[in-house]
Amino acid sequence: MTATKSHPIEILRFNTCGSVDDGKSTLIGRLLYDSKSIMEDQLEALERSADITGGGQINLANLTDGLRAEREQGITIDVAYRYFATPRRKFIVADTPGHVQYTRNMVTGASTANLSIVLVDARLGVIEQTRRHTFIAGMLGIPHIVFAINKMDLVGWSEDRFLEIREEIEAFLPRLDQFHDVKFIPISALHGDNVVDASKNAPWYPGPSLLHHLETVHIASDWSLTGLRFPVQWVNRPNHPTDAGLHDFRGLSGQIASGIVKVGDGVVVLPAGLRSTVKEIWTYDGPLGEAFCPQSVTLQLADDLDVSRGDTIVGLDHFPGIGTEFQARVCWMNAKPLLAGKKYLLKHTSQTVQTIITGIDGRVDIETYEVKSPVSELALNDIGDIRLKTAKPLVVDAYRKNRLTGSFILIEPGTNHTLAAGMFESPAHKFRFEDEEFSI
């Protein structure tokens, strides 16, 4: 399949996760190596570094483990992003750490993924990090998940062992109730079995290789086309002397977070509640009759409204929630604990507002997936439920309905350090227009 202007090649974003030494970096290295996505200079550098950790042989993990400490210890610390492509699809890969100490890095790498690969060591089976990373993938709303049962060569390619691990995972998956598509694939990342090409060592496995699944998994429906959400990032006012005829142009630029917008559609600008009609839709390549998620466009409205960065343009159906008090689930990423009464900055879509934590409702027990309460604080890498109040109204959706308008980060004032990644629960108050309430 080749790309055309009307049918460009899709981009699949995926991450790898699992426990320490489950083979995440080796798996990505094998994908890059066997799909011939390594440039000559990269291969030469890989060969030169072979004597550092590879015992004189090429160490595929070094393709993603770029930090010296990572190569010396044989672990992943930071999130490494790699890019490669096949004739069917382009890929953006996030190799995330397995150690519990770097859970926050795993959340960062998985936050934009369409698909998550959870590696399981066939010798050890399901362990705490398997459950933790599966829970986080579900919490982040990743629709597709692959359990890659790695190091099958070390258990003699035992079908019974593969089925035993699969049954254990399937026993706790219903408690998450998040994934639309689950796949189990037996592999050996070190030797390449079932990674790019099907392996003869597992005649009992009838499914595709990992790369074939990545190339063919259906992701077009992952984007929500229901309920227009258009956070305004920039007010586009051409002011160059050569912009003849554009002195009165006032466009609103941003990325469509969900839904479809067409010329002539009625829209509402929130939080002000101002109503107008879409006059034109512009892109770098020219005007469009309609646009949809996740395109980046410039909208020109029929009315000259006071719209600025941070406002959200929505359609006349499926209105979002709006307010200043919210409940949310957060993954805390800082050594200083999260405490009730603390003030932070909250970044949501294209705006940043002040917020205060009004309460901590509980902490998630990764072993049981139950929320334990009461708790007085959330410590580093804790996942918990909180209540917060913002200084300005926010236009939000529940995270499970819209990953873009339902997510936020907490920032420490003064240092600008990212403290937490958060996901809004269903908002308590919905926007009302002309005395009629629309549900999201």
Side-chain angles (χ1 to χ4, degrees):
M1 185 179 81
T2 58
T4 65
K5 187 173 182 179
S6 59
H7 294 88
I9 294 180
E10 288 182 314
I11 299 176
L12 173 70
R13 292 173 171 84
F14 70 92
N15 76 294
T16 58
C17 52
S19 188
V20 175
D21 202 32
D22 277 348
K24 299 178 296 298
S25 300
T26 300
L27 174 62
I28 295 178
R30 175 60 65 183
L31 278 170
L32 297 173
Y33 189 82
D34 285 2
S35 63
K36 298 178 173 56
S37 300
I38 305 175
M39 296 183 180
E40 290 186 7
D41 59 336
Q42 290 179 303
L43 188 57
E44 291 174 1
L46 199 62
E47 292 171 343
R48 287 196 302 270
S49 66
D51 58 343
I52 297 177
T53 59
Q57 297 180 349
I58 290 178
N59 188 341
L60 295 173
N62 285 350
L63 282 170
T64 55
D65 290 341
L67 299 178
R68 188 177 188 88
E70 291 178 319
R71 297 189 177 190
E72 290 175 349
Q73 299 180 53
I75 63 173
T76 300
I77 298 174
D78 199 5
V79 180
Y81 292 93
R82 292 295 179 267
Y83 310 86
F84 72 102
T86 67
R88 293 186 176 185
R89 187 169 275 173
K90 296 179 180 179
F91 302 94
I92 300 176
V93 192
D95 181 24
T96 57
H99 199 286
V100 63
Q101 180 180 349
Y102 304 112
T103 297
R104 61 192 184 278
N105 298 46
M106 183 268 169
V107 173
T108 301
S111 60
T112 59
N114 302 98
L115 180 147
S116 187
I117 300 175
V118 179
L119 276 88
V120 181
D121 189 324
R123 300 168 301 171
L124 304 178
V126 177
I127 59 176
E128 180 183 347
Q129 281 298 78
T130 309
R131 302 170 66 90
R132 180 187 302 272
H133 287 175
T134 302
F135 175 82
I136 292 174
M139 179 184 73
L140 292 173
I142 299 174
H144 311 279
I145 189 166
V146 175
F147 290 97
I149 315 303
N150 192 24
K151 304 185 182 182
M152 286 295 299
D153 53 306
L154 300 183
V155 294
W157 287 95
S158 169
E159 180 182 10
D160 290 338
R161 180 55 175 160
F162 173 78
L163 294 177
E164 179 184 356
I165 295 173
R166 175 173 177 165
E167 289 173 1
E168 186 174 356
I169 293 172
E170 289 178 333
F172 66 75
L173 278 182
R175 282 187 254 171
L176 301 180
D177 192 29
Q178 293 287 342
F179 304 109
H180 306 306
D181 173 37
V182 180
K183 194 76 175 177
F184 295 85
I185 302 178
I187 67 169
S188 171
L190 183 63
H191 300 292
D193 296 85
N194 279 341
V195 177
V196 171
D197 299 313
S199 174
K200 297 180 180 179
N201 292 317
W204 42 265
Y205 170 70
S209 68
L210 177 61
L211 181 60
H212 184 269
H213 179 66
L214 296 177
E215 287 181 319
T216 57
V217 62
H218 180 70
I219 61 173
S221 59
D222 292 352
W223 297 104
S224 174
L225 298 180
T226 302
L228 174 64
R229 302 289 185 268
F230 184 76
V232 177
Q233 297 179 8
W234 176 49
V235 179
N236 189 341
R237 292 294 304 272
N239 54 12
H240 195 274
T242 61
D243 294 332
L246 296 178
H247 299 295
D248 297 326
F249 181 89
R250 189 172 191 272
L252 307 170
S253 301
Q255 183 184 36
I256 302 174
S258 66
I260 302 173
V261 60
K262 301 177 182 179
V263 172
D265 280 355
V267 295
V268 179
V269 180
L270 297 179
L274 304 174
R275 185 168 180 172
S276 186
T277 303
V278 177
K279 180 181 178 182
E280 291 180 325
I281 304 172
W282 289 91
T283 68
Y284 179 82
D285 296 319
L288 297 175
E290 69 174 19
F292 49 86
C293 174
Q295 287 179 290
S296 295
V297 298
T298 295
L299 302 183
Q300 187 178 13
L301 302 183
D303 302 284
D304 189 14
L305 304 179
D306 182 12
V307 184
S308 60
R309 176 181 171 87
D311 290 339
T312 301
I313 297 175
V314 304
L316 297 181
D317 59 345
H318 296 90
F319 280 158
I322 185 170
T324 58
E325 297 184 8
F326 303 96
Q327 292 181 310
R329 173 159 287 180
V330 296
C331 177
W332 189 249
M333 302 178 175
N334 195 267
K336 301 176 185 177
L338 180 147
L339 301 170
K342 292 283 290 184
K343 295 181 179 180
Y344 304 105
L345 296 177
L346 183 149
K347 187 178 188 308
H348 172 254
T349 62
S350 56
Q351 68 173 324
T352 301
V353 301
Q354 293 182 332
T355 188
I356 183 171
I357 307 302
T358 57
I360 303 175
D361 294 332
R363 180 192 299 113
V364 176
D365 186 330
I366 296 299
E367 282 295 320
T368 63
Y369 297 150
E370 296 177 353
V371 178
K372 303 293 185 181
S373 61
V375 294
S376 59
E377 64 180 35
L378 294 181
L380 177 65
N381 293 319
D382 275 349
I383 297 170
D385 296 329
I386 65 170
R387 285 171 279 120
L388 52 87
K389 182 179 178 67
T390 57
K392 293 170 54 179
L394 297 181
V395 179
V396 308
D397 292 289
Y399 183 83
R400 66 176 179 272
K401 291 184 177 293
N402 192 315
R403 291 175 68 184
L404 297 178
T405 58
S407 61
F408 64 92
I409 61 173
L410 294 180
I411 302 170
E412 185 174 40
T415 66
N416 283 331
H417 290 163
T418 299
L419 302 177
M423 290 131 280
F424 287 115
E425 302 290 342
S426 295
H429 303 287
K430 301 179 179 69
F431 176 72
R432 293 176 180 270
F433 188 73
E434 296 180 352
D435 297 326
E436 184 174 2
E437 183 177 355
F438 294 78
S439 62
I440 56 174

